[in-house]
Amino acid sequence: MNTSRRRIRPIEGEWFLVEPRNINRNLFKTDSWIGPEEQQALRKINNSFDLLDIQPDKFGKPFEILVPKKNWENKTVKEMINMCKDYGGKFSTGIATGFLWAQIIDNGETPKNYCEGPDTLECYRLVAWENGVFLTGGSQESSLDFSATHIEMIPMFDTFVPDNTVPQIIRYLE
């Protein structure tokens, strides 16, 4: 039995279960998402659900997300993307991240706390969004208090070596 579903949020070094078809979508049809980070997260979450409606076989599969513990020095963006297969997965997308955020809120986290409060993870996550690879979330290793849903809109090119950063990794269960 996979017990990763029991946690509300991911923690470093452990796979976190996301089940797009089982998430309560009514949580994301509300006007109570008022903060700027909440609004951005809501748009990304609803974009993921829109794609699920269009292609349920492709986007409805359960998957797990891994935020690896950072135990390396000075890796480029390309090296971090390539290392995803070493963990048994692939480089995560913004679509999967939208479902991840929805799962966390469905698990019991409040949108305000998750989207507006400081991130609890140690490192930023590299994620492939629709318009490029960007740092996502915050970093307890940084002096900046970004939320877990923050997207730093500075493109991460292959040769860039970002500080306090790990790749977000996905693996499908079916």
Side-chain angles (χ1 to χ4, degrees):
M1 178 178 162
N2 186 331
T3 59
S4 62
R5 177 76 153 105
R6 295 182 186 175
R7 287 191 312 276
I8 291 176
R9 289 182 177 210
I11 60 174
E12 286 94 348
E14 294 187 24
W15 291 97
F16 183 84
L17 180 63
V18 179
E19 299 175 288
R21 291 184 184 183
N22 295 336
I23 296 171
N24 179 1
R25 293 171 72 163
N26 291 327
L27 295 171
F28 311 102
K29 296 178 181 176
T30 177
D31 293 332
S32 65
W33 293 57
I34 55 173
E37 294 280 348
E38 287 176 282
Q39 287 293 315
Q40 174 181 270
L42 183 61
R43 283 190 299 276
K44 298 298 185 184
I45 289 168
N46 284 324
N47 179 60
S48 294
F49 282 126
D50 289 346
L51 292 169
L52 173 62
D53 290 341
I54 295 167
Q55 294 181 290
D57 291 339
K58 180 176 181 180
F59 295 109
K61 296 175 185 174
F63 61 88
E64 291 179 315
I65 291 286
L66 176 68
V67 177
K69 290 183 180 181
K70 187 173 184 292
N71 58 5
W72 60 85
E73 297 289 327
N74 302 325
K75 287 200 181 282
T76 66
V77 167
K78 185 173 185 166
E79 288 171 324
M80 283 192 269
I81 291 170
N82 288 338
M83 72 188 295
C84 293
K85 64 181 174 282
D86 297 337
Y87 286 90
K90 298 179 180 181
F91 188 48
S92 185
T93 65
I95 297 163
T97 302
F99 286 130
L100 169 67
W101 296 345
Q103 185 71 65
I104 290 165
I105 292 163
D106 186 58
N107 287 357
E109 184 65 80
T110 67
K112 182 170 181 58
N113 189 40
Y114 190 64
C115 300
E116 299 291 334
D119 198 348
T120 58
L121 295 176
E122 295 295 321
C123 293
Y124 301 106
R125 278 78 70 204
L126 279 179
V127 174
W129 292 95
E130 61 273 4
N131 52 349
V133 175
F134 297 97
L135 294 181
T136 303
S139 166
Q140 290 294 309
E141 298 293 318
S142 167
S143 61
L144 304 172
D145 283 336
F146 292 134
S147 75
T149 60
H150 178 80
I151 302 170
E152 190 63 30
M153 297 307 291
I154 300 169
M156 296 287 113
F157 299 104
D158 284 351
T159 57
F160 189 69
V161 181
D163 290 331
N164 305 321
T165 303
V166 297
Q168 183 172 285
I169 303 168
I170 183 173
R171 72 176 177 195
Y172 288 94
L173 302 177
E174 292 181 355

